[in-house]
Amino acid sequence: MVFTPREHAIKEIAETLAVAPCKEPELSNTQRSDMFGRDVFNMRAMRERLPKGVFQRLEQTIKNGAQMNPSDADVIASAMKDWAMERGATHYTHWFQPMTGTTAEKHDTFLTPTSDGQVISQFSGDMLIQGQPDASSFPSGGLRSTFEARGYTSWDPTSPAFLISGPLGRTLYIPTVFYSYTGESLDRKTPLLRSEDALSNQCVRLMRLLGNTSVTGVQVMIGVEQEYFLIDRRLYMLRPDLILSGRTLYGARPLKGQELEDHYFGAIPSRVMAFMQDAEDQLFALGIPVLTRHNEVAPGQFEIAPVYESANIATDHNMLIMEVLRTTAERHGFACLFHEKPFTGVNGSGKHNNWSLRDSNGYNLLEPGDTPRDNAQFLLFLAAVLRAMHKHPETMRIGTVGASNDHRLGAHEAPPAILSVYLGEQLTSIIKAIAGKQDGSPSWGSRTMEIGVSILPPMPIDVSDRNRTSPMAFTGNRFEFRAGGSSQSVAPINIALNAAVASALDDISSDLEKSIAAGVPLLKAVQDLLARLFQEHEPIIFNGNNYSEEWKKEAQRRGLPNYSNTVVALEQYSRPDVMKVFCSHGVLSERELLARQGILIENYVRTVSIEAQVALSLGRTSIMPAVLSWQKDLADLILSTRQVVGTDTPMPEETVFARLRSHSTALIEELDKLEAVWNELNTIEEPIKAARFARDYVLPRMRSCRAEADALEEIMDNRRWPLPSYEEMLWLN
Ligand code: ADP
Ligand code: MG
């Protein structure tokens, strides 16, 4: 018997599935902890290798952004090169995050030819600090035309350099920012760094008003939970839709999905376990503190989360985690899928962003404190987040746009596109009391604390009833933003969060400054301001079920916007009030913002256009031939059977044939309609119009093609179906 490619893949998987014998762990815990950060040119390595003065000045640069002098840069570059070459590095690369959403790199060798025909290793301060990749094909949104294609990369000393092993040796990776010759940002790191500065400044300003004289800065801390799917690579290779567009464009619902919830937190399959351990060892060596691993809700879905770090580093680390997972999966015979919705009808993947603020004394500003002053401060920062979310929902929504995330947001598996904040009942009742909206004295324990004139409770925040449906949940000492997509960089979300909160803090400090100038005692001024803020922003608080239909209506009543898809969200980008949030704090200039809007719109159109082409080609060249050959066999069977049984005998085979033919005819027609709209899409010149057309005409036509194909998959000869099924992809690991 001849195997079809699908059967061949399944046979091979069955043979490799056999569980490898249990091994002693390769690394002891001590060895593992010694390994932590082994491949990173971190503070420890720098302290060991740099002259004391140089190290101290570099530390100042890292901590306070002090300018670095060129002679120090030469010393650092030379130490970095020696460290890397001792560990087998032959090349270095400036590693950056252009607006394609991924990372980019261009490798250069450390070796430079000399005039006498030899080579010497060379790496100067200039080479460390600045690079000039030929970057003409990275998106710039018109900030750089091809004739002036220069883009520059510049070392970001706050994120340490690291080594990556490839098949042919090791490379030194230097995290950099990427900008045009006019100095405008072409990446996602620059605005992130700017937004952290803006927020830090506003935090310090408010804390000074509250009498804190010791704080010098505030760091944004984030912990990123990364979800992903793992499927067998042999099946993946038979799915051009997964390879080219990251998601399945066809595929009948699996016979068994997540109904039994038997995958969630279940035992991790041994092959997957081997992959995870391998990936974690590499991440450990890269100084990425991986904390948890577990199965997720859908079959074949998993999550990895490192311990939280400063936002810039955590963002770089998330990019690295994705890269390490991807390459490790390949080596273990898997394909790692980061798309938000690889399988229709099965839960998609998100990326939760846990966000908090840490002051230079190590204190978490989102942690309720013990003294009245601490609590006043906590409540003011809480109010700032509420104000930011209530006043600037567009800003946050822009951080989550993308054709792929549209399949997930609001689809009863991820928060809706309507932004609201979950605080839990206890904190909400405190806030209502401060706002003067709660009758009688609320019942809280015996310990009370005072802010100004009113009596307030201590704040043991109850985190037990965490609401999984909220896009922005307070979880005791941090906010968890849950609308981000698994394939997306977390930079845009944090840029938006930081900018919006900085803007809210700015309002809050200005208000306080005015009251103080008018002679109002500080605590009284805080008390009054909190009451006003909590009154104004109460509508953004929602502790109920965000997935429900009632919430949609309620949110509308409260005036909370619902930018339900990427295109409407992107249309808000150029609104003056939205741009002001970024511009007035120096996070992004108007030109940079409009460039970004342009890139994101274009990206949306391209994504949908590629999907349409793949759907068309797969439908016509793989699915239809299989269907028609089965249809022909059925027709032959009916003719020959009819000869045998005679004309009077009813033949149920004819019903099967009729059903098959009705769907196959419909699929042929739907594919033609899809082609027609795709052709029309290509004639639309104005990007935003093309985006609207892609959303309103191309995507629905793709869904119609899919409906017919999926119906066919359910009744076809399984052996002849050209694509691996959902069951096979989701359960064979
Ligand atoms: P969940 O219950 O949401 O799945 P996890 O334990 O998987 O939570 O992930 C929580 C993430 O939040 C981790 O990355 C963790 O380090 C991070 N985290 C914990 N405390 C803070 C904090 N104060 N600020 C930011 N992130 C934090
Ligand atoms: Mg979470």
Side-chain angles (χ1 to χ4, degrees):
M1 163 157 149
V2 181
F3 286 124
T4 66
R6 245 176 89 203
E7 286 170 335
H8 189 72
I10 293 168
K11 179 173 164 290
E12 278 203 351
I13 295 167
E15 282 159 8
T16 47
L17 255 182
V19 179
C22 244
K23 277 196 300 183
E24 286 296 310
E26 269 164 26
L27 295 170
S28 69
N29 271 329
T30 343
Q31 282 171 318
R32 261 176 75 85
S33 56
D34 286 347
M35 196 170 87
F36 187 73
R38 188 190 61 194
D39 293 342
V40 188
F41 194 59
N42 53 21
M43 286 304 227
R44 195 181 55 197
M46 291 194 251
R47 189 180 297 116
E48 273 168 24
R49 286 172 177 261
L50 294 174
K52 205 164 174 197
V54 178
F55 176 74
Q56 281 168 348
R57 286 190 293 276
L58 177 61
E59 219 180 3
Q60 283 312 305
T61 305
I62 293 172
K63 284 196 181 137
N64 311 323
Q67 274 275 313
M68 188 182 310
N69 72 47
S71 64
D72 280 358
D74 278 331
V75 178
I76 298 165
S78 164
M80 199 188 274
K81 181 201 72 182
D82 292 346
W83 173 86
M85 288 182 72
E86 280 164 29
R87 282 159 180 75
T90 54
H91 289 68
Y92 71 94
T93 178
H94 276 199
W95 184 65
F96 56 105
Q97 299 172 22
M99 288 182 293
T100 49
T102 50
T103 55
E105 48 198 74
K106 174 189 166 222
H107 295 204
D108 285 300
T109 169
F110 285 121
L111 299 179
T112 315
T114 58
S115 54
D116 57 353
Q118 313 224 345
V119 284
I120 52 161
S121 75
Q122 205 192 9
F123 188 56
S124 65
D126 286 347
M127 291 154 94
L128 165 66
I129 286 179
Q130 201 177 65
Q132 204 196 113
D134 172 23
S136 46
S137 33
F138 288 114
S140 75
L143 286 182
R144 177 175 36 99
S145 33
T146 8
F147 64 86
E148 51 193 30
R150 275 170 304 167
Y152 296 94
T153 52
S154 204
W155 182 34
D156 165 20
T158 61
S159 183
F162 54 90
L163 294 170
I164 292 283
S165 307
L168 298 175
R170 308 186 92 190
T171 302
L172 172 70
Y173 278 65
I174 300 161
T176 59
V177 293
F178 180 48
Y179 52 95
S180 74
Y181 82 112
T182 50
E184 279 155 321
S185 153
L186 296 174
D187 71 351
R188 292 186 153 149
K189 189 189 255 284
T190 312
L192 178 63
L193 291 168
R194 292 180 191 154
S195 75
E196 289 183 78
D197 275 354
L199 182 51
S200 173
N201 292 341
Q202 292 301 332
C203 289
V204 173
R205 175 178 168 207
L206 178 60
M207 291 168 85
R208 288 270 185 282
L209 285 175
L210 296 176
N212 185 325
T213 49
S214 64
V215 144
T216 52
V218 167
Q219 258 189 320
V220 180
M221 306 300 293
I222 62 170
V224 183
E225 301 163 52
Q226 175 72 51
E227 291 182 336
Y228 60 95
F229 277 88
L230 212 55
I231 68 168
D232 193 278
R233 193 169 156 74
R234 285 159 283 207
L235 297 170
Y236 172 79
M237 296 307 264
L238 296 172
R239 296 279 329 201
D241 47 358
L242 274 182
I243 296 173
L244 297 173
S245 66
R247 71 179 178 111
T248 53
L249 300 170
Y250 295 104
R253 302 287 150 110
L255 303 177
K256 176 181 168 187
Q258 63 205 48
E259 305 82 4
L260 300 177
E261 304 213 324
D262 46 358
H263 184 73
Y264 194 38
F265 277 55
I268 300 175
S270 62
R271 242 184 104 199
V272 176
M273 193 63 136
F275 149 80
M276 283 180 174
Q277 276 174 3
D278 187 351
E280 281 170 23
D281 284 348
Q282 296 170 63
L283 293 170
F284 233 66
L286 286 167
I288 303 177
V290 185
L291 179 73
T292 60
R293 55 173 176 222
H294 61 74
N295 290 3
E296 265 303 322
V297 180
Q301 192 186 29
F302 304 90
E303 179 185 298
I304 186 168
V307 178
Y308 66 102
E309 303 175 276
S310 95
N312 179 32
I313 294 183
T315 302
D316 284 357
H317 280 175
N318 178 251
M319 297 314 256
L320 265 177
I321 286 176
M322 290 170 76
E323 192 53 25
V324 168
L325 289 180
R326 198 184 57 72
T327 51
T328 310
E330 246 171 57
R331 283 196 282 112
H332 287 251
F334 288 118
C336 189
L337 312 178
F338 292 114
H339 194 284
E340 282 75 5
K341 195 73 183 173
F343 305 102
T344 304
V346 175
N347 260 24
S349 304
K351 182 147 26 191
H352 293 178
N353 188 74
N354 295 270
W355 179 94
S356 68
L357 298 169
R358 179 153 83 189
D359 75 19
S360 51
N361 298 326
Y363 187 82
N364 180 354
L365 302 183
L366 297 177
E367 184 117 46
D370 294 327
T371 66
R373 198 183 76 174
D374 284 350
N375 274 319
Q377 181 181 296
F378 165 72
L379 289 168
L380 280 171
F381 280 103
L382 190 68
V385 174
L386 293 177
R387 182 174 178 82
M389 297 302 106
H390 194 205
K391 281 199 72 183
H392 310 299
E394 297 78 16
T395 316
M396 290 305 298
R397 182 66 180 90
I398 286 162
T400 60
V401 291
S404 54
N405 208 21
D406 276 6
H407 298 290
R408 204 180 131 259
L409 285 188
H412 292 258
E413 55 176 284
I418 307 164
L419 186 58
S420 65
V421 180
Y422 168 86
L423 291 182
E425 296 309 328
Q426 200 177 15
L427 197 49
T428 307
S429 79
I430 291 171
I431 278 170
K432 283 191 176 161
I434 296 172
K437 286 206 173 167
Q438 196 145 293
D439 297 335
S441 87
S443 56
W444 40 59
S446 51
R447 253 178 87 216
T448 54
M449 56 153 259
E450 225 171 285
I451 295 179
V453 289
S454 80
I455 302 297
L456 287 170
M459 296 188 201
I461 304 307
D462 180 13
V463 291
S464 57
D465 62 338
R466 288 171 53 181
N467 181 333
R468 292 264 154 202
T469 66
S470 175
M472 180 80 169
F474 183 67
T475 57
N477 60 3
R478 61 186 188 267
F479 279 94
E480 181 171 349
F481 184 70
R482 305 207 183 96
S486 49
S487 72
Q488 303 178 321
S489 158
V490 287
I493 290 172
N494 289 292
I495 295 167
L497 242 170
N498 298 346
V501 175
S503 174
L505 282 169
D506 189 356
D507 297 343
I508 288 175
S509 292
S510 303
D511 195 300
L512 269 185
E513 280 160 3
K514 233 184 268 159
S515 300
I516 293 167
V520 183
L522 176 67
L523 285 181
K524 170 92 172 78
V526 169
Q527 177 71 39
D528 293 348
L529 177 58
L530 282 175
R532 263 182 288 128
L533 288 168
F534 289 147
Q535 272 163 24
E536 183 181 350
H537 302 304
E538 203 198 313
I540 195 73
I541 303 171
F542 180 61
N543 296 324
N545 179 5
N546 285 254
Y547 294 179
S548 67
E549 279 307 307
E550 298 86 76
W551 169 234
K552 271 194 198 155
K553 290 189 208 112
E554 167 67 13
Q556 198 174 18
R557 213 182 44 75
R558 294 190 191 183
L560 304 179
N562 182 5
Y563 303 113
S564 62
N565 59 73
T566 291
V567 185
V568 284
L570 282 176
E571 287 179 286
Q572 316 307 315
Y573 215 134
S574 39
R575 267 170 45 182
D577 60 321
V578 174
M579 293 208 286
K580 188 165 166 250
V581 180
F582 297 102
C583 296
S584 60
H585 295 275
V587 175
L588 284 161
S589 71
E590 209 165 284
R591 247 168 72 90
E592 289 172 330
L593 285 164
L594 294 176
R596 263 152 227 265
Q597 181 190 38
I599 291 169
L600 291 167
I601 292 173
E602 207 167 292
N603 190 287
Y604 179 87
V605 177
R606 280 192 194 159
T607 305
V608 177
S609 170
I610 290 169
E611 287 184 349
Q613 288 177 80
V614 176
L616 204 53
S617 155
L618 254 185
R620 281 184 175 160
T621 65
S622 287
I623 294 175
M624 274 322 294
V627 170
L628 293 178
S629 107
W630 174 236
Q631 192 170 310
K632 175 180 178 299
D633 286 0
L634 270 183
D636 291 349
L637 172 123
I638 286 166
L639 282 179
S640 52
T641 311
R642 182 55 76 202
Q643 279 177 354
V644 178
V645 301
T647 45
D648 295 337
T649 317
M651 273 184 52
E653 292 90 334
E654 286 176 341
T655 327
V656 177
F657 180 85
R659 198 183 304 150
L660 185 77
R661 185 152 190 276
S662 89
H663 288 301
S664 69
T665 324
L667 179 56
I668 295 173
E669 287 165 8
E670 288 300 340
L671 286 166
D672 288 346
K673 289 185 201 159
L674 175 60
E675 184 178 29
V677 287
W678 184 74
N679 283 335
E680 192 172 340
L681 176 68
N682 290 324
T683 64
I684 305 174
E685 272 168 25
E686 201 185 319
I688 190 69
K689 285 194 180 142
R692 286 188 209 122
F693 186 85
R695 174 194 63 193
D696 298 337
Y697 296 95
V698 182
L699 282 171
R701 291 262 78 99
M702 281 167 58
R703 282 193 287 273
S704 307
C705 291
R706 177 178 186 146
E708 298 304 333
D710 292 359
L712 285 163
E713 185 180 350
E714 281 169 359
I715 55 173
M716 266 273 294
D717 173 5
N718 180 39
R719 276 204 81 205
R720 300 197 199 197
W721 193 255
L723 303 168
S725 70
Y726 268 31
E727 293 81 81
E728 289 160 358
M729 289 185 285
L730 292 169
W731 291 102
L732 298 187
N733 56 23

